[in-house]
Amino acid sequence: MTTGQTEPPTDADLKWCYDAVHGVSRTFSITIDRLEEPMARHICLGYLLCRVADTIEDAGHIPPEVQTELLTDYDRLLDPNSDQTAVAFMDDVEPWIPDERNEDWDVVAETPRVLRTFESLDDEPREIMREPVRELVDGMAMFTSRYADEGGLRLQTLEELEEYCWYAAGTVGTLITGLVARGASQERAEELRENARSFALLLQLVNIAKDVESDYHDENNVYLPAEWLEAENVDVEQVTDMDNHGGVTNVIKRVTGRAETYLDDAQRYLEVVPETHGNRLSAWAIPYLLAVGTMRELRERPEDVVREGDVKISRTEVYALLQTFEGDISRSTLAELRREMAEKPLHQ
């Protein structure tokens, strides 16, 4: 793989990458702010590489067959043995970048900058990251191809939902685990790998449960399993219709319940994650606890996903959680915080 550019990355490139993450993801922004170097830059760049693919896969204005071609070309760009260049990739993707682009499309437009900064990393972390990113890209290409005739994703079963969640988030969990497990004992590293999938699927399933309306209207994707919608007499193409409010709410409850089955293993992941190479427990514990709080809100008011388009915990609770981690938090405190946030907002 070659970027097709000869200039090395600069401090300004890395700063741009940090700023870009803060613009596209509140959760990863919190995570990266909690990490120290070199882990902060590794996670930042790994996330941006994944975000390029995610933005293409989510783009409702790009025909599915073109999405698949772009994702396949992007995978070749990430392959160190390919002759694909960033210039060629940008020639293909630029016609699809909106004239009034948002932060996500800013990242796609700056793919060469992200790539050259990634390629400047030390060999070990760079190669740990490369394969999980490519697996994510390949998985997204597979799904856009699978549902090309529908014009958007229409997941059919729980098994397919979790397959999708693996490619969208489990691969990121593999990337994170590969980085944080360096230097850990064999036993500890194995326990991390065993629980990484649960940690990733928990976060992804919560996102799917709370974002039903935007996923359908903005991306033309329906991640709620069609078999569960059918059991509620809901047509997949009418998932946001108010007439189907009750049925969709029941499916959202089921997805939330499925996410809850991963809580214990995800907590165990946090209990053994090493704090080395700039890694910090709080960087991953905060997203975990935000998911716990979001699940509480989904249990209490799932109808708001359809009625208001989203379910979020309040900014006040987010601030209270961040403040909690300003002090010394032991791993044993995680269970207590989880219980508290599962019952009521942290600031109450």
Side-chain angles (χ1 to χ4, degrees), residues 125 211 226 287 321:
D211 292 336
L321 179 60

Side-chain angles (χ1 to χ4, degrees), residues 44 53 89 92 177 179 211 213 215 233-234 248 256 267 339:
C44 171
F89 173 73
D92 291 336
T177 301
L179 291 172
D211 292 336
E213 185 178 63
D215 287 338
N233 296 314
V234 175
V248 173
T256 304
Q267 181 175 315
R339 284 193 297 270

Side-chain angles (χ1 to χ4, degrees), residues 150-185:
E150 286 79 2
L153 304 190
R154 300 291 185 269
L155 305 189
Q156 299 298 303
T157 64
L158 172 63
E159 291 73 22
E160 191 178 31
L161 169 60
E162 295 204 334
E163 180 189 20
Y164 175 81
C165 287
W166 168 257
Y167 287 114
T171 51
V172 180
T174 300
L175 181 155
I176 293 166
T177 301
L179 291 172
V180 302
R182 287 175 294 160
S185 68

Side-chain angles (χ1 to χ4, degrees), residues 14-289:
L14 182 59
K15 181 182 183 303
W16 183 92
C17 290
Y18 279 128
D19 290 342
V21 170
H22 294 318
V24 299
S25 173
R26 182 180 73 169
T27 300
F28 262 87
S29 177
I30 292 171
T31 292
I32 289 170
D33 280 345
R34 295 279 166 170
L35 295 171
E36 298 177 5
E37 297 296 353
M39 190 66 67
R41 77 177 61 191
H42 296 162
I43 297 298
C44 171
L45 292 167
Y47 178 77
L48 290 180
L49 289 175
C50 294
R51 193 73 180 201
V52 171
D54 189 54
T55 300
I56 293 170
E57 188 258 343
D58 286 343
H61 69 285
I62 302 179
E65 62 274 14
V66 177
Q67 288 176 313
T68 302
E69 291 171 2
L70 291 173
L71 290 166
T72 301
D73 287 346
Y74 183 54
D75 176 61
R76 291 178 56 228
L77 184 57
L78 294 168
D79 182 355
N81 298 316
S82 171
D83 60 0
Q84 172 79 321
T85 68
V87 172
F89 173 73
M90 294 309 298
D91 285 344
D92 291 336
V93 79
E94 280 177 348
W96 301 102
I97 297 176
D99 292 335
E100 296 183 8
R101 65 194 195 205
N102 59 17
E103 288 90 346
D104 286 320
W105 283 104
D106 283 341
V107 174
V108 176
E110 293 289 348
T111 298
R113 172 181 272 184
V114 176
L115 280 168
R116 68 173 177 258
T117 308
F118 167 72
E119 290 296 336
S120 73
L121 297 177
D122 291 342
D123 290 349
E124 183 188 33
R126 187 184 66 234
E127 297 315 310
I128 286 172
M129 296 160 67
R130 192 187 302 276
E131 288 310 308
V133 174
R134 293 189 64 198
E135 186 177 3
L136 176 146
V137 177
D138 287 346
M140 290 186 172
M142 179 182 68
F143 270 92
T144 57
S145 177
R146 182 182 297 177
Y147 287 100
D149 291 341
E150 286 79 2
L153 304 190
R154 300 291 185 269
L155 305 189
Q156 299 298 303
T157 64
L158 172 63
E159 291 73 22
E160 191 178 31
L161 169 60
E162 295 204 334
E163 180 189 20
Y164 175 81
C165 287
W166 168 257
Y167 287 114
T171 51
V172 180
T174 300
L175 181 155
I176 293 166
T177 301
L179 291 172
V180 302
R182 287 175 294 160
S185 68
Q186 182 175 351
E187 180 180 5
R188 195 175 196 181
E190 183 59 31
E191 191 162 12
L192 283 168
R193 287 190 288 269
E194 288 176 356
N195 293 304
R197 178 179 181 272
S198 293
F199 183 79
L201 263 62
L202 165 69
L203 301 184
Q204 188 67 18
L205 286 169
V206 170
N207 285 337
I208 284 169
K210 74 181 183 64
D211 292 336
V212 172
E213 185 178 63
S214 61
D215 287 338
Y216 182 67
H217 287 297
D218 297 344
E219 303 169 7
N220 193 25
N221 291 329
V222 179
Y223 300 108
L224 300 182
E227 63 179 5
W228 288 3
L229 291 169
E230 184 179 356
E232 300 291 340
N233 296 314
V234 175
D235 187 287
V236 71
E237 300 302 337
Q238 298 174 339
V239 72
T240 61
D241 289 6
M242 290 306 298
D243 290 344
N244 293 323
H245 182 132
V248 173
T249 294
N250 289 338
V251 176
I252 289 169
K253 289 178 180 178
R254 291 184 71 177
V255 174
T256 304
R258 184 67 179 183
E260 288 175 339
T261 67
Y262 293 113
L263 278 166
D264 290 344
D265 288 348
Q267 181 175 315
R268 184 56 186 160
Y269 182 86
L270 295 171
E271 289 170 347
V272 299
V273 69
E275 292 191 287
T276 55
H277 304 289
N279 191 44
R280 294 294 175 265
L281 170 65
S282 61
W284 312 109
I286 290 171
Y288 169 78
L289 292 167

